[in-house]
Structures are given as C-alpha cells and as structure tokens.
Amino acid sequence: MSSKIEGVSINNSSRSRLSSYFPKFTLVKGGQIGPDERPPWIELIVLGLQHVLAMFGSTVFAPLVCGFDSNTAIFCSGIGTILFFIITGGRVPSYLGSSFAFIGTVTAATGYKYSPGAGLNENIPLAQGGIIIAGAVYAAIAIIVLLVGHRWVEYLMPPVVTGAVVMAIGLNLAGTAVNQAAANSFDAWMAFSTVLAVSFFSVYGPGFTRRVPILLGAIVGYVINLICGYAGAGTKIDYTGVGNAKWIGLPLFHTPKFDSHSISLITPVVIILVAENIGHIKAVSAMTGRNIEQYIGRAFMGDALATIIAGSLGSLGVTTYAENIGVMAVTKIFSTLVFVTAATVALIIGFLPKFGAIINTIPAGVFGGLSIILFGLIAVSGGRIWIENKIDFTNPRNLLTAGISVLLGTGMTGDLKVTFGPIALDGIGVSTISAVILYQILRGYPQRSNDTPNTSEGRDNLVGESVEKSEENAEYELYDLHRDIPIRHHRID
C-alpha cells in the first residue's frame, strides 16, 4: 500500500512540475502585459504579425548576402523561436532570426559573392558544418552557465572587448559592401538612392516606419531600379526565376559537410552570439522589472540548439533580435505567446518558394546600398558600446585591447588568414580571439603602489585603480549586430 502511495505522490509531483513549467498566461486587457500574460486573441495575432514585420528585413537580408535560401532562413527562424519558447519555459520573450555575425565568416569560408541571379551558394554544406559546430560550442557554454552561473561570461567579455569585436566585424565587411555598390555607375546611383531612402525613413519616417527603415528603403530602391530598367536608363530586373518558382513547396534543405577550415573560420562567432544574448536578456529584465536573468542559461541553450537546427537544415545560425525587443519597448507587451504567433507565421512563409524567388531579384546596387548601411551600423555600434560604458582609453589595457584587435579585424580581409595546422582564422576570428586574450593578459594594469601611496605616482595609481573598478561595475550595454537599437539593462555588479 505504501509503495502505491509513494508512486502516486511521485507521479503527482512530476505532473505539478510539468504544469508549472509554462506560465498560465493570464488574460490582460490594456496596459503593460508581462511575459506570463497575454492580450485578447485578436490582438495577439495582430501583435504577432507586427513582430514578423520587425524581424523580416534582417532575417531575409542576412542569408541573401551569403547565398542561402531566404525561405529556409525564415522557416528556421520560426522553428528556432518556438524551440526557444519551449526551452525557456515561455519565460523569456524573444524572436530568433538570422544572425549578421555569420556573414563575414560564412562568405569567407565559402567564397560566395552576391549578385542578382547568381543563385544559391554552392558551398552551403561547408558553411553548415561550421554553423553546427558553432552551435555545439554555444551549447557547451550554456551547460556551464546552467551549472555555475553566467558571471564568468561577462568577466571574459567586458564592454571594451565586445565593442572591439563588433567594430571589427563591421569594418571587415566594408570592402564587400563598397564593391557591391560600385560595380558600375548605375549600381552606384542605385546604392546612393537606397541609402537616402533608408536614412529618410530612419529619421523622418512617421510612426512605426522608423522601426523598419531597411525594409522600406529596400522597397524604394527596388522600385526606382525597376522603373529605370523599363525606361532604358539601367539594367532590367530578371524575373525568370520568379516565373519558374512554385507558389507552394518545401524550403530548400541541404546536407552539411564538416571541413576543418570552414569550422575554424565560423566557430569564433559564438562569442558574438553569447554577447548579444546577454544584452537582450538584461534589456528585457530592465523593461519588464522581472528577474529574467535567471534564465540566461536556458536562453543560451535555446539559441544554441536553434542554431544547430538551422545549420543542419541549410540556414544561417540564429540570434535573439533587438528589432523585436524594440517593438516590445514601444508596445509594453512582453507576452511570449506573441512570439509563438510570429513564429507560426514565419513557418507558413517558409513554404512559399515564389516569395524566395522574388527576394533573389534584388538588384546589386540596391543590395550594395543596404550593405553599406548595415555594415556601417555594425562598426559604429562597436564605438557606441565603448561610449555608453564610459571606457577609459587612457588605460593602456583598454587602448591596446581595442586598437590591436580592431586593426587586425580591419586589415585581414580577402583571403588573408592565420593558420594553425588545419585551423584557419580570418580577420574576424583573429580579432575576437586577440581581444579576449589581450584583455585577460593585461588585467593586472594598473597596480596599486603600496610603498608610495602619498606620492604623485601613488595617487595616479589609485585613481587608475578607481577608474578600472568603475569600468568593471559599469552598466553593461550592447547593440545588436543587425539593427541600431540601444540595449540598456542592469549593472553587472
């Protein structure tokens, strides 16, 4: 009898834990809505569509640069977001879309250069292997965080390191953007028109248009190019691929190949994914007033597994999106069910090949203009991380860490790589590793002078130490790699 009672007790306990894993999602009408609450169903659907619009431009643009299928990327973003919802227990509101951090490393590993009608990247399987391994390393980090906490990650990647790596990524990609925009004079004018359109919507656009300037600017540039093409003032857009594409069909999946060269190039991107995720988690914690930071380990694992799945199916790795965090900041609606709705819409779009074919007709000039803006924002965002965190560049540790890593990331372009046997690192990889290692090696500066505390030199050392502690405890701010949206959150002390 007692064994039966114990069995029933254990079974009830398991059911209780399972039932409490996800929130009850209490209905709330009006005002701020928390992650564990929901708006009325009609509003939930509309809000989900709004989040699809917010993530759309970046999720489509990133794979297009690398020669990946846009439909597959959107499909994988939907799967990744739902998986993230499940692993975090519906406690962390976030949308997972294609990560811009992969662009430089994937194009370097595959040798792909975008042009209208160029078709898919023939070396997608090689990139997949690197993305999968990056996701596996990310998952290993997630396990460690789940076991021992997340402060050690912030210790390895303080703002000066993160800012240097982000800036190096943008500058490393600068040459690619300029080459796309300047293939000929017509493309250069189209790039200029696209840049102006995006800038106009960003600064003067009414209402919600300021949240999607990339998408709207791309449409304006596309329409101008289309009109010029039919007027004989430029190259016509080729719609042959659109005509041949089916309305409904499966996304294009690929079988990954594991190559040591590609893996060594792509894996360092993990450090950026970790930094983005930390920033976004803390941003949502600050906005909601909830202790969401306790779920950082789960968030890492959700993002890591979503990246592994995306790589396995033939898409870029994914990351949490600041665009959607910006939407939450405006609407004050943080319900995680809204993101499940958005993910469901993304899954449906993934089965529309005709849509992907239309995306692939974006002209080179328009594409180049978008690249200039997005890669420029990446570079400037690195500087903003330093400014907002009040990084002291009179401190040689910060000056050397940032200067050396940024220069390496900027100078190592094209086929220039550092090799260690089968491992080859491009400019972004070298920049990332050098920033982390240099900062840790130079942590000993400045040293307290115990012998002459009252001398001028001793006072300078004490001041320097005070500044260092101030930086260590500063408000840690990150900026998303694919959108110029500030992410403010709790202090790390």
Side-chain angles (χ1 to χ4, degrees), residues 26-98:
T26 307
L27 174 63
V28 176
K29 297 180 180 180
Q32 178 170 314
I33 299 178
D36 56 352
E37 300 168 337
R38 71 167 179 86
W41 293 115
I42 297 299
E43 291 183 24
L44 182 71
I45 295 173
V46 174
L47 289 166
L49 292 174
Q50 180 174 251
H51 277 287
V52 171
L53 182 63
M55 69 82 183
F56 193 82
S58 296
T59 299
V60 169
F61 181 80
L64 196 60
V65 177
C66 301
F68 284 57
D69 181 61
S70 300
N71 286 67
T72 306
I74 293 176
F75 178 78
C76 289
S77 76
I79 292 180
T81 301
I82 292 175
L83 180 63
F84 185 89
F85 172 86
I86 294 173
I87 292 178
T88 59
R91 310 284 176 172
V92 181
S94 188
Y95 192 92
L96 272 59
S98 303

Side-chain angles (χ1 to χ4, degrees), residues 383-460:
R384 290 186 62 178
I385 292 175
W386 294 335
I387 293 172
E388 296 297 334
N389 287 280
K390 300 178 176 62
I391 300 301
D392 177 21
F393 282 109
T394 63
N395 186 326
R397 176 197 60 197
N398 296 333
L399 194 63
L400 290 169
T401 297
I404 293 173
S405 57
V406 169
L407 185 138
L408 289 173
T410 305
M412 292 183 61
T413 57
D415 296 326
L416 187 59
K417 299 176 179 63
V418 174
T419 59
F420 300 94
I423 299 175
L425 299 175
D426 71 341
I428 295 174
V430 171
S431 174
T432 300
I433 293 175
S434 65
V436 174
I437 293 177
L438 272 173
Y439 188 85
Q440 297 307 318
I441 291 175
L442 301 175
R443 265 190 181 273
Y445 179 89
Q447 298 292 337
R448 179 190 293 271
S449 175
N450 294 323
D451 298 330
T452 57
N454 294 321
T455 65
S456 175
E457 180 181 356
R459 287 193 298 271
D460 288 343

Side-chain angles (χ1 to χ4, degrees), residues 97-115:
S98 303
S99 172
F100 273 53
F102 283 99
I103 293 177
T105 56
V106 167
T107 53
T110 61
Y112 181 81
K113 294 182 179 180
Y114 172 82
S115 63

